[in-house]
């Protein structure tokens, strides 16, 4: 169920970007979704996001910037070793210049560049570009 929540939220963001919306509201909330959005904010793909009432069903309001072309969560979490991350990103992302693969690692949820720096592997959550 958690993977479906993340996928639905990311599809909502992409659809709102295509329609030219300034912000979008996501329901329900998960900690994985918050971490994914934090990485998107650090990389400049969204302006800001705010979590309201995370202990109950809750909601997240995301301020969009117009930079997200595609964003997907994988329903199957593929295991990646630290030395396989480069090959996986070349296959998944359209070019080397843009896009990020998000990976769950023992060090937390990281993008592929940070995972390569720290030399840790993990499971692929999704990607955005």
């Amino acid at each position: 169920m958690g993977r479906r929540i993340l996928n639905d939220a990311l599809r909502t963001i992409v659809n709102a970007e295509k329609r030219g919306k300034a912000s979008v509201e996501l329901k329900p909330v998960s900690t994985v979704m918050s971490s994914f959005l934090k990485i998107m904010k650090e990389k400049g793909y969204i302006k800001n996001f705010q979590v309201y009432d995370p202990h109950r069903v809750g909601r997240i309001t995301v301020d969009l910037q117009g930079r997200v072309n595609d964003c997907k969560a994988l329903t199957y979490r593929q295991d990646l070793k630290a030395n396989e991350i480069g090959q996986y990103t070349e296959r998944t992302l359209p070019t080397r210049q843009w896009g990020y693969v998000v990976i769950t690692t023992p060090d937390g949820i990281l993008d592929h560049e940070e995972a390569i720096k720290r030399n840790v592997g993990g499971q692929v959550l999704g990607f955005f570009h």
Side-chain angles (χ1 to χ4, degrees), residues 2 21 24 46 49 54 62 65 68-69 84 92 95 97 100 106 119:
K21 304 260 180 160
V24 65
I46 60 174
F49 71 95
V62 181
Q65 196 160 322
V68 178
N69 294 324
E84 297 172 345
T92 308
T95 65
Q97 286 83 19
Y100 295 92
N119 196 28

Side-chain angles (χ1 to χ4, degrees), residues 7-121:
N7 196 30
D8 289 346
L10 297 178
R11 297 309 320 160
T12 303
I13 289 173
V14 170
N15 291 337
E17 289 270 10
K18 286 181 181 176
R19 295 178 122 207
K21 304 260 180 160
S23 66
V24 65
E25 192 173 283
L26 308 174
K27 292 180 191 175
V29 178
S30 72
T31 55
V32 173
M33 187 188 314
S34 298
S35 300
F36 201 100
L37 291 173
K38 187 174 135 199
I39 291 173
M40 289 179 78
K41 181 182 174 186
E42 288 171 359
K43 301 301 178 184
Y45 281 80
I46 60 174
K47 287 181 188 172
N48 198 8
F49 71 95
Q50 232 172 358
V51 181
Y52 298 101
D53 200 15
H55 300 295
R56 304 190 83 199
V57 174
R59 64 187 164 90
I60 296 177
T61 304
V62 181
D63 297 328
L64 303 174
Q65 196 160 322
R67 286 196 57 203
V68 178
N69 294 324
D70 195 15
C71 197
K72 291 182 182 171
L74 300 179
T75 52
Y76 57 95
R77 298 223 175 129
Q78 189 173 356
D79 293 331
L80 282 182
K81 295 178 184 172
N83 58 358
E84 297 172 345
I85 294 174
Q87 295 169 344
Y88 184 81
T89 56
E90 286 178 15
R91 271 184 304 176
T92 308
L93 299 175
T95 65
R96 293 182 190 190
Q97 286 83 19
W98 25 290
Y100 295 92
V101 175
V102 180
I103 303 169
T104 58
T105 67
D107 293 351
I109 297 178
L110 307 171
D111 63 280
H112 71 276
E113 292 175 347
E114 189 67 28
I116 290 171
K117 268 188 225 169
R118 294 186 186 186
N119 196 28
V120 292

